[in-house]
Amino acid sequence: MGYTRIDKTMADALCQIVGEGNYKTDLESLDLYGRDYTEDLCFTPELVLLPSNTQMVSKITRYCNENLIALTCRGAGTGLSGGCLPIEGGVVLGFEKMNRILEIDTANHQAIVEAGVINEDLQNAVQALGLFYPPDPASKGSCTLGGNIAHSSGGPRCVKYGTTKDYVLNLEVVLANGEIIQTGANVLKNSTGYHLTQLMVGSEGTLGIVCKITLKLIPYPPYRSLMLASFNNAREACATVPAIFAAGVQASAIEFMDRKGVQLSTQKNNIAFEMGEEQAYLLIEVDAFNEGELMPQCEKIYEALEAHAVLNVLMADDSETKEKFWKIRRSIGEVVKQHSIYKEEDTVVTRSYLPDLYDGVSKISEKYGFETVCYGHAGDGNLHVNILKNDLADELWEKVLPIAIRQIFDLCKKYGGTISGEHGIGLVQKPYLDIVFSEAQFEIMRGIKRSFDPNLILNPGKIFDM
Ligand code: 2HG
Ligand code: ZN
């Protein structure tokens, strides 16, 4: 589909909506807003606009719709599926000026925020009031809540508390024609018609533009214990995960890290960490409202670990050690990116199939001569598989990679899962969506897209082709 190129008159009209100092046209900024964390992809937009309220977003959207200008929203650009890349050029809408926490309602345990609020800023603000917003992507210090909604982002705590979708009560959304709607109501229960709120969560900015968000909060559990268990066999580490649940413990994180991931993370971050023969680790956390509730949970976990040939268990006794272990885990994604050209897959399977998925990925990598770094949210059956290019020839990498990825995703389907647990489909997973969706499902989704965005201006070219 042909989109309109933005000429001088159009640019002036759009810039006037946001006002002086709230737009960018210089090449350096356009390049910056044309990238996210997905590989080294870049699609330069024609204009970047930084609105400061919903009315401005509405006027911009109406203008783009009337003039058939592509419009792509961007949070902090930390996404890993190319979801915010403006592949058709046009306008990128940045949310850095819409970053206010509008209300924290302690009586109703709700927060109302603008879409550009940084995840961790909300976590800190509500924690100061004894409240908890659990979804915690590794990039929590920079990613925005609007971006989290676009992909229904997760993080380590989701194994106990659920992902972004479980906390969104209501959204203020600008539709493609500029109209402003509420998708639901600020209530915990809602059985009133179609659930537009949940439809919007995970739709990656293709159906409407989320401007304000009402989030559910819960009481903050102030006590936590953290342990790092090592294994000399990665399959065994994965197989231990269901045993922890079977022991009757609901851990607040069960994270898997393979040897290479820990090696890269500790080396690149200069973290002192002794390694022997370990091939994999589980980082396990429990939380509680009373300190006395921690030890019985740890003991049950310890028994489950012992029954599964754990090599060693390190308890993080002080806050420095806790921070160190979490730093090792949270920075793996980043250090892999620094280490080599790579491709990241966000595989997810029914938890008990994790060992089979891990084995399958290892066999596929071996067959094609790739090195992989695997880590992620083992408690959710969600394994981030990073395929490293290292010194493989470009030609081989480009030819074989899509074949290997398809085989990995076929395994996800076989083991009861799907091709993305928390990073979305965006641009880079789009070629593989046929593995999990039939033509009938695509047609339903295309119909939904058409009814929200008949001119196809919102984040064109993402999730599936029209
Ligand atoms: C992780 O588990 C994340 O490390 C990386 O999925 C994504 O937070 C992010 O940006
Ligand atoms: Zn993750």
Side-chain angles (χ1 to χ4, degrees):
M1 168 167 171
Y3 291 92
T4 307
R5 295 289 141 233
I6 302 175
D7 63 19
K8 168 105 180 47
T9 316
M10 292 172 174
D12 287 348
L14 286 163
C15 292
Q16 213 183 0
I17 297 172
V18 289
E20 206 50 56
N22 297 318
Y23 53 84
K24 291 177 193 289
T25 51
D26 61 291
L27 290 182
E28 205 182 313
S29 303
L30 295 182
D31 181 84
L32 191 76
Y33 284 79
R35 298 174 188 276
D36 65 1
Y37 266 49
T38 316
E39 301 153 34
D40 55 356
L41 299 176
C42 182
F43 295 86
T44 317
E46 293 159 69
L47 180 64
V48 174
L49 298 173
L50 308 175
S52 44
N53 58 52
T54 307
Q55 290 304 329
M56 285 184 188
V57 175
S58 162
K59 284 184 190 157
I60 295 164
T61 311
R62 181 172 300 127
Y63 190 91
C64 289
N65 194 41
E66 281 165 4
N67 291 283
L68 289 185
I69 297 169
L71 180 55
T72 302
C73 294
R74 175 193 174 87
T78 56
L80 293 162
S81 59
C84 71
L85 299 176
I87 64 169
E88 295 287 353
V91 172
V92 161
L93 217 55
F95 278 83
E96 47 261 58
K97 310 251 155 139
M98 291 178 65
N99 63 349
R100 286 168 301 173
I101 297 175
L102 300 170
E103 191 182 340
I104 299 173
D105 178 346
T106 51
N108 289 301
H109 284 190
Q110 291 180 6
I112 302 178
V113 300
E114 290 181 323
V117 170
I118 306 284
N119 175 300
E120 198 168 44
D121 289 347
L122 177 68
Q123 289 195 32
N124 292 340
V126 302
Q127 196 182 318
L129 301 169
L131 294 172
F132 192 25
Y133 177 69
D136 61 338
S139 54
K140 63 183 177 173
S142 51
C143 66
T144 65
L145 292 163
N148 293 173
I149 284 173
H151 296 303
S152 192
S153 305
R157 290 174 188 151
C158 297
V159 66
K160 178 166 182 178
Y161 294 103
T163 63
T164 303
K165 72 174 187 329
D166 300 304
Y167 293 85
V168 183
L169 299 177
N170 192 10
L171 296 168
E172 179 179 271
V173 170
V174 172
L175 298 176
N177 63 7
E179 205 170 307
I180 302 167
I181 63 159
Q182 300 290 315
T183 56
N186 294 356
V187 287
L188 288 172
K189 298 167 93 173
N190 190 339
S191 70
T192 319
Y194 291 167
H195 211 310
L196 297 181
T197 308
Q198 289 300 335
L199 181 57
M200 213 52 68
V201 179
S203 66
E204 306 194 20
T206 61
L207 300 180
I209 301 178
V210 172
C211 290
K212 265 185 218 158
I213 310 161
T214 304
L215 292 165
K216 180 175 88 168
L217 306 172
I218 57 177
Y220 183 79
Y223 298 100
R224 34 191 44 79
S225 288
L226 185 66
M227 59 182 94
L228 184 65
S230 57
F231 298 80
N232 59 15
N233 177 313
R235 187 191 164 89
E236 196 63 20
C238 295
T240 306
V241 175
I244 296 171
F245 287 87
V249 187
Q250 178 57 71
S252 52
I254 308 182
E255 296 287 302
F256 174 86
M257 303 181 278
D258 72 6
R259 179 182 179 85
K260 179 84 185 170
V262 172
Q263 249 170 357
L264 283 177
S265 182
T266 49
Q267 278 162 12
K268 296 221 192 251
N269 289 310
N270 277 325
I271 295 174
F273 186 76
E274 248 178 69
M275 283 178 88
E277 293 302 304
E278 303 86 343
Q279 295 305 312
Y281 298 83
L282 289 178
L283 184 62
I284 307 163
E285 186 195 75
V286 289
D287 64 6
F289 288 95
N290 300 302
E291 203 169 2
E293 292 165 13
L294 292 174
M295 197 39 83
Q297 297 189 74
C298 292
E299 277 165 5
K300 281 188 189 170
I301 292 171
Y302 196 80
E303 277 166 31
L305 292 171
E306 290 255 279
H308 277 266
V310 68
L311 266 184
N312 196 13
V313 182
L314 293 173
M315 285 299 296
D317 291 323
D318 49 52
S319 55
E320 285 92 77
T321 315
K322 282 181 187 161
E323 259 165 52
K324 172 169 130 173
F325 288 171
W326 274 120
K327 173 133 182 126
I328 295 172
R329 163 59 191 90
R330 285 193 192 278
S331 42
I332 297 180
E334 195 122 15
V335 297
V336 168
K337 196 174 169 73
Q338 291 163 20
H339 179 69
S340 163
I341 293 178
Y342 77 113
K343 193 94 180 147
E344 200 270 347
E345 307 308 334
D346 178 32
T347 63
V348 59
V349 294
T350 306
R351 189 161 56 213
S352 55
Y353 284 120
L354 200 58
D356 299 309
L357 175 70
Y358 184 87
D359 276 351
V361 169
S362 306
K363 280 191 193 123
I364 292 166
S365 324
E366 215 171 286
K367 181 160 134 202
Y368 295 111
F370 296 133
E371 187 178 25
T372 54
V373 174
C374 292
Y375 69 98
H377 318 290
D380 300 329
N382 184 194
L383 190 70
H384 301 320
V385 178
N386 290 261
I387 308 171
L388 310 189
K389 178 168 183 289
N390 292 333
D391 45 17
L392 279 184
D394 292 356
E395 216 178 300
L396 186 72
W397 173 252
E398 268 144 40
K399 194 169 141 213
V400 173
L401 191 66
I403 302 172
I405 293 173
R406 192 160 270 278
Q407 290 176 1
I408 291 172
F409 285 157
D410 281 338
L411 284 180
C412 293
K413 187 177 179 192
K414 177 175 163 193
Y415 296 132
T418 189
I419 70 170
S420 179
E422 56 172 23
H423 295 169
I425 297 301
L427 179 65
V428 297
Q429 315 300 0
K430 197 171 77 166
Y432 307 100
L433 206 56
D434 64 291
I435 294 171
V436 286
F437 285 143
S438 66
E439 200 39 48
Q441 288 165 299
F442 275 118
E443 259 320 298
I444 292 171
M445 292 196 293
R446 288 194 191 107
I448 292 170
K449 168 72 177 171
R450 268 185 229 109
S451 72
F452 273 86
D453 179 20
N455 292 330
L456 312 181
I457 60 153
L458 297 176
N459 204 5
K462 301 298 168 55
I463 310 182
F464 49 84
D465 288 320
M466 288 298 292

